[in-house]
Amino acid sequence: MCGIVGLHLREPSLYPQLGALLTDMLGQMCDRGPDSAGMAIYGDRAWSPVGESTVSLLDCPVPAAELAATLSASLDTTVTGIDLHPTTILHGVVGAADLAAAVRSVVPSARVIGFGDDLTVLKGVGNPIELANRFGLPSASGWQGVAHTRMATESAVTAEGSHPFSVGPDQCLVHNGSFSNHMSIKHQLERDGVVFDSANDTEVGARFVAKQLAEGIDLEKALLMLNETFDGFYTLLVSTADSFAVVRDAISCKPAVIAETDQWVAMASEYRALANLPGVDNARIFEPEPEEVYVWHR
């Protein structure tokens, strides 16, 4: 079933409240996906300091401080590590792709689950609101956040199978539904040189979108191409460092509602996740149309 929530803030005075608002939204969706959860925050300066790149890992076999020290020596720059089990956050004054590559070299068994200049991804197994509180999500700040409560259908209950899938720099995709033809698309992407980390159908969608963006196609066009290529039932929330987008399949049986004000844009699987947002009584509230791509930019 799964539950999606996302919040794109237009009003800078709300940035300090991002984590608290997103946590409340996530809490309303726990019954839609009680087995695991993931969340992504754009712009929290404790997790993603200005001028530094950030990499998020799962199941790192060594403590964050130890890994950071090793990376600092190999990259000849200071890398800082934060333990938020089972997620590890690393940041330093080095390119995000270079930091991610160094991490994969030093701890090949760990899974890179997010990287970029502004993005922090956190994942875990268990009750979503308990995970959010343990990670410290209510105290996070920033301009944009997405989160997902998962009820596993296509793969095992693991932290790495939870959403968002972040496979491109500062990019996230969260998904409610399933892609029925994802294996044939995966095989084509593999023939094109794309490498996968899991058997999850959502990763195929994320890799597809990331490939289009890397080739210079804008987000709206990339999601239109996804609609043309993927079969199944799905609602997607896709985010980048400067964009927030929603798209549904032609049947649109997977629920979604959008609310928009001058101060923010929010999306959720059900209205109850939006009900406590500031000024929601004056929001424009609507259900996204089938196969129409909705994009907001920072």
Side-chain angles (χ1 to χ4, degrees):
M1 186 161 60
C2 300
I4 296 173
V5 297
L7 181 60
H8 173 87
L9 296 177
R10 292 167 157 168
E11 172 52 56
S13 67
L14 290 175
Y15 290 1
Q17 299 180 50
L18 175 65
L21 294 171
L22 193 68
T23 300
D24 181 77
M25 295 172 71
L26 181 67
Q28 299 298 323
M29 293 292 98
C30 285
D31 60 343
R32 293 189 63 88
D35 60 39
S36 56
M39 50 219 75
I41 292 291
Y42 290 84
D44 183 90
R45 293 317 177 195
W47 291 337
S48 298
V50 174
E52 300 186 30
S53 65
T54 299
V55 172
S56 300
L57 304 177
L58 264 183
D59 301 324
C60 183
V62 298
E66 181 180 336
L67 176 57
T70 301
L71 292 167
S72 296
S74 65
L75 293 169
D76 194 26
T77 188
T78 300
V79 176
T80 302
I82 303 170
D83 276 316
L84 293 173
H85 182 76
T87 301
T88 300
I89 301 170
L90 300 164
H91 52 80
V93 184
V94 60
D98 292 335
L99 182 56
V103 167
R104 291 186 178 102
S105 176
V106 173
V107 283
S109 64
R111 179 70 52 84
V112 174
I113 57 170
F115 65 101
D117 294 330
D118 297 301
L119 172 68
T120 304
V121 178
L122 306 164
K123 293 185 179 185
V125 172
N127 179 275
I129 199 66
E130 292 177 2
L131 287 171
N133 286 324
R134 194 175 80 223
F135 291 151
L137 182 64
S139 299
S141 62
W143 64 82
Q144 185 168 268
V146 301
H148 185 270
T149 62
R150 182 166 184 252
M151 183 176 289
T153 57
E154 298 291 333
S155 57
V157 178
T158 62
E160 65 190 22
S162 60
H163 308 195
F165 276 84
S166 176
V167 299
D170 289 311
Q171 298 168 21
C172 285
L173 183 147
V174 294
H175 175 202
N176 177 21
S178 62
F179 297 127
S180 59
N181 63 337
H182 67 282
M183 287 305 298
S184 62
I185 299 168
K186 180 179 181 180
H187 294 327
Q188 181 59 58
L189 289 171
E190 288 175 327
R191 288 191 287 271
D192 292 339
V194 176
V195 177
F196 286 80
D197 292 329
S198 75
N200 193 292
D201 64 326
T202 303
E203 186 185 356
V204 182
R207 296 281 179 189
F208 179 89
V209 172
K211 183 175 185 292
Q212 312 315 315
L213 296 178
E215 293 174 355
I217 294 171
D218 67 32
L219 183 57
E220 182 175 8
K221 175 62 175 176
L223 293 178
L224 289 171
M225 292 172 65
L226 183 146
N227 273 341
E228 295 169 356
T229 306
F230 284 74
D231 294 329
F233 303 106
Y234 55 85
T235 292
L236 303 178
L237 173 59
V238 183
S239 59
T240 69
D242 62 2
S243 301
F244 182 87
V246 177
V247 66
R248 303 168 82 191
D249 68 272
I251 305 301
S252 291
C253 65
K254 296 299 180 181
V257 59
I258 295 171
E260 181 177 10
T261 73
D262 292 340
Q263 295 188 316
W264 48 261
V265 179
M267 178 270 180
S269 295
E270 298 181 39
Y271 173 77
R272 58 191 164 117
L274 309 176
N276 295 326
L277 290 173
V280 70
D281 291 343
N282 298 314
R284 181 173 78 98
I285 299 171
F286 61 97
E287 182 178 340
E289 295 292 331
E291 293 193 307
E292 183 170 342
V293 178
Y294 299 82
V295 184
W296 294 266
H297 300 286
R298 187 172 180 227

